[in-house]
Amino acid sequence: MADLPVYMHACLHTGKLAALAILVSGGIVLQILACALYNNWWPMLTVIMYVLLPMPLLFFVGSDSSIFSESENGWVNATKFLTGASAIGSIAIPAILKHAGVIGWGALAMELSSFFVFVLAIMCYIRTSDGDDSYSII
């Protein structure tokens, strides 16, 4: 792919961004449908966890270390723990609501599928941004 013209790289990059936008939009639609179809807005509690999920990464991880590598740094370990707790909370909230009888099986299935669509979008973003560090249209 190194011999492709610059406009082709820009087109491929735009297509990747469009696919990521479609994935995130699909996750949001599933999240809203889980609430609207069953006329029960309690599953929207997982949005709190979706908002809290990137916060430890934004606040505690410096630009000099990678979150995926082994580290002796306490802040990096705390960031990994808080991010993992938020991710587990995104799955646990709908499961607890189902166990308490607040939501039904359909809302639980849509909530969990929304979570997995978001995870797929994040994984695709990480995969596409690995090789695009030096990307420039100019």
Side-chain angles (χ1 to χ4, degrees):
M1 273 189 44
D3 57 344
L4 288 176
V6 174
Y7 65 88
M8 286 296 289
H9 282 286
C11 183
L12 290 173
H13 187 68
T14 304
K16 291 176 187 177
L17 289 177
L20 288 173
I22 289 170
L23 278 174
V24 171
S25 299
I28 292 171
V29 166
L30 283 171
Q31 179 78 31
I32 293 172
L33 280 177
C35 300
L37 287 179
Y38 299 99
N39 200 18
N40 185 355
W41 292 91
W42 280 106
M44 202 56 88
L45 283 174
T46 56
V47 172
I48 295 170
M49 298 310 285
Y50 293 149
V51 170
L52 292 178
L53 189 63
M55 294 302 165
L57 293 170
L58 294 173
F59 294 138
F60 295 130
V61 173
S63 61
D64 56 343
S65 63
S66 174
I67 190 71
F68 298 114
S69 64
E70 289 292 325
S71 173
E72 296 294 325
N73 189 352
W75 288 110
V76 173
N77 291 335
T79 301
K80 290 177 184 179
F81 174 76
L82 290 173
T83 303
S86 298
I88 296 300
S90 299
I91 296 173
I93 288 175
I96 291 169
L97 290 174
K98 173 60 185 126
H99 182 72
V102 176
I103 64 174
W105 283 108
L108 176 69
M110 284 190 181
E111 283 289 320
L112 293 179
S113 61
S114 168
F115 174 76
F116 288 118
V117 167
F118 282 133
V119 167
L120 179 66
I122 291 169
M123 290 173 64
C124 288
Y125 173 74
I126 290 171
R127 175 77 170 120
T128 59
S129 67
D130 281 344
D132 291 341
D133 292 338
S134 62
Y135 177 76
S136 174
I137 294 177
I138 300 173

